Amino acid sequence: MEMTLRWFGSQFDTVTLKQIRQIPGVTGVITTLYDTTPGEVWTREKIRALKEEVEASGLHISGIESVNIHDAIKIGSEDRDLYIDNYIETLKNLGEEDIHLVCYNFMPVFDWTRTELARVRPDGSTVLAYTQEAIDALDPEKMFASISGDANGAILPGWEPERMAKIKELFALYKDVDDEKLFANLKYFLERIMPVCDAYNINMAIHPDDPAWSVFGLPRIIINLENIQRMMKMVDNPHNGVTFCAGSYGTNRENDLPTMIRALKGRIHFAHVRNLKFHSDDNFEEAAHLSSDGDFDMYEIMKALYDIEFEGPIRPDHGRMIWDEVAMPGYGLYDRALGATYLNGLWEAIDKSQKRG
């Protein structure tokens, strides 16, 4: 595996490439053109400029997270082919620039849902958190307003203000889209893009829905092993794979994370590893990566990835806000650096113990 860190670009991220380069064992970044909009073609010039900036720091681009999917594709509207054509052009340009991994999601309206961005933990750190009770009491049109004050001035991925300004319109567009229609629209999209993925050896790694159940009545399909396997079988191509995000699948405590990893051998192209602390099945907060700080056995998760001979990029996912850092919630430097070092330590211990028999 390769240890990486997510980086939003020098215009948007409080964390610098110089700082990332100094985290032991981190050799690449997972990045994006954060100033593009869904449906827009990424030009080779912009991709190359981003690539050159990263490489000048001594790192390289390990993958893109995300090339966002236009709502027309998810809904299956009449103009979806235009946006799929644009997506194909972007994939070609990425391939021409020797970038071969794209993480994306197929979530309607909200890319992820949390009810708090700065819940205070016993150690004084702050974290992202979710309670179903808060969701049930909330008007979805006011969702962004309810959390934006804790964003530290950052533009949150999937919660861009211009998108949130159209929230009522978005809900109306998705009113006739259920799980089956969303699956059908995902199949159509994947069938269209797989030829270019084959031509340029681009792995498409779908990110799970977060949390792994319906929120505000919206369909959610990438939530468990059964649905992932359905997605892979309906477009049976090795480039059609997954981002295994422990923190997203793990929101549903019925998901056995190590078992899922072993069942998906060969189709996990990218991994996000983080920890959650549950107060009930639908009240959880994000924790430090250390196993004892949450409810996941991080050793077993990393052992499962090792057992399937996972060779792709991995990154510590959302971190706590610690040591008075002010940054995009979940994406500060300090706790993710601790997470990367911890995960690297687990991997080294597993590797040495296996090789010594």
Side-chain angles (χ1 to χ4, degrees), residues 52 60 66 84 90 138 141 145 154 157 172 193 227 235 240 252 296 351:
E52 289 174 351
H60 69 102
S66 302
I84 295 175
T90 293
L138 191 63
E141 293 181 34
I193 69 169
N227 284 19
V235 182
N240 174 28
N252 185 338
F296 295 167
D351 183 53

Side-chain angles (χ1 to χ4, degrees), residues 68-103:
N68 288 322
I69 310 290
H70 195 279
D71 287 298
I73 299 172
K74 299 177 189 177
I75 294 163
S77 58
E78 292 181 358
D79 57 346
R80 66 178 171 180
D81 283 318
L82 166 66
Y83 294 107
I84 295 175
D85 288 342
N86 287 354
Y87 206 97
I88 288 170
E89 191 66 24
T90 293
L91 291 177
K92 286 180 180 178
N93 291 338
L94 288 169
E96 292 286 350
E97 293 300 325
D98 201 29
I99 296 172
H100 303 284
L101 170 69
V102 172
C103 172

Side-chain angles (χ1 to χ4, degrees), residues 176-232:
D176 294 324
V177 180
D178 59 11
D179 286 9
E180 289 304 311
K181 188 167 185 180
L182 198 60
F183 260 120
N185 294 340
L186 175 57
K187 181 175 186 289
Y188 184 90
F189 168 71
L190 289 170
E191 288 176 337
R192 285 285 319 276
I193 69 169
M194 279 299 113
V196 73
C197 292
D198 290 338
Y200 289 93
N201 190 28
I202 294 175
N203 287 326
M204 296 297 295
I206 194 166
H207 189 282
D209 301 343
D210 189 1
W213 56 76
S214 176
V215 177
F216 297 126
L218 295 165
R220 295 284 179 121
I221 57 175
I222 308 301
I223 58 173
N224 54 33
L225 181 59
E226 178 184 1
N227 284 19
I228 301 165
Q229 291 176 327
R230 175 181 175 181
M231 185 263 318
M232 293 191 303

Side-chain angles (χ1 to χ4, degrees), residues 66-342:
S66 302
V67 181
N68 288 322
I69 310 290
H70 195 279
D71 287 298
I73 299 172
K74 299 177 189 177
I75 294 163
S77 58
E78 292 181 358
D79 57 346
R80 66 178 171 180
D81 283 318
L82 166 66
Y83 294 107
I84 295 175
D85 288 342
N86 287 354
Y87 206 97
I88 288 170
E89 191 66 24
T90 293
L91 291 177
K92 286 180 180 178
N93 291 338
L94 288 169
E96 292 286 350
E97 293 300 325
D98 201 29
I99 296 172
H100 303 284
L101 170 69
V102 172
C103 172
Y104 71 105
N105 75 72
F106 220 70
M107 286 181 258
V109 185
F110 302 114
D111 278 10
W112 49 274
T113 307
R114 292 292 181 271
T115 53
E116 299 165 71
L117 300 183
R119 180 184 289 182
V120 180
R121 302 198 76 218
D123 61 7
S125 64
T126 62
V127 294
L128 286 78
Y130 179 97
T131 60
Q132 189 62 42
E133 182 180 10
I135 288 290
D136 294 342
L138 191 63
D139 179 344
E141 293 181 34
K142 298 177 181 177
M143 181 73 204
F144 178 68
S146 73
I147 63 171
S148 59
D150 290 328
N152 296 326
I155 299 173
L156 301 171
W159 293 77
E160 295 78 13
E162 61 274 13
R163 179 175 174 79
M164 293 300 100
K166 300 177 181 178
I167 198 75
K168 188 173 183 179
E169 178 184 337
L170 285 169
F171 267 88
L173 288 171
Y174 282 96
K175 66 181 176 64
D176 294 324
V177 180
D178 59 11
D179 286 9
E180 289 304 311
K181 188 167 185 180
L182 198 60
F183 260 120
N185 294 340
L186 175 57
K187 181 175 186 289
Y188 184 90
F189 168 71
L190 289 170
E191 288 176 337
R192 285 285 319 276
I193 69 169
M194 279 299 113
V196 73
C197 292
D198 290 338
Y200 289 93
N201 190 28
I202 294 175
N203 287 326
M204 296 297 295
I206 194 166
H207 189 282
D209 301 343
D210 189 1
W213 56 76
S214 176
V215 177
F216 297 126
L218 295 165
R220 295 284 179 121
I221 57 175
I222 308 301
I223 58 173
N224 54 33
L225 181 59
E226 178 184 1
N227 284 19
I228 301 165
Q229 291 176 327
R230 175 181 175 181
M231 185 263 318
M232 293 191 303
K233 287 176 183 176
M234 73 186 187
V235 182
D236 193 8
N237 185 307
H239 290 114
N240 174 28
V242 302
T243 295
F244 192 88
C245 179
S248 296
Y249 287 126
T251 57
N252 185 338
R253 299 175 86 175
E254 294 182 2
N255 285 333
D256 183 325
L257 301 179
T259 296
M260 291 176 71
I261 290 169
R262 291 185 172 92
L264 296 170
K265 181 178 180 178
R267 299 294 278 272
I268 297 176
H269 298 317
F270 182 29
H272 296 175
V273 181
R274 58 181 163 92
N275 202 353
L276 295 179
K277 178 68 177 178
F278 287 87
H279 300 287
S280 69
D281 287 347
D282 57 13
N283 178 351
F284 61 83
E285 61 196 40
E286 297 180 356
H289 287 75
L290 188 71
S291 294
S292 60
D293 198 54
D295 289 313
F296 295 167
D297 189 328
M298 305 299 279
Y299 172 88
E300 290 298 337
I301 290 170
M302 295 297 286
K303 177 68 163 50
L305 289 167
Y306 185 91
D307 288 347
I308 66 167
E309 301 177 330
F310 176 71
E311 296 180 344
I314 185 172
R315 68 171 177 82
D317 207 357
H318 305 164
R320 303 166 300 151
M321 281 297 146
I322 61 173
W323 303 338
D324 300 318
E325 184 176 20
V326 177
M328 182 188 296
Y331 288 102
L333 170 66
Y334 305 139
D335 202 42
R336 287 191 300 152
L338 292 175
T341 304
Y342 173 62

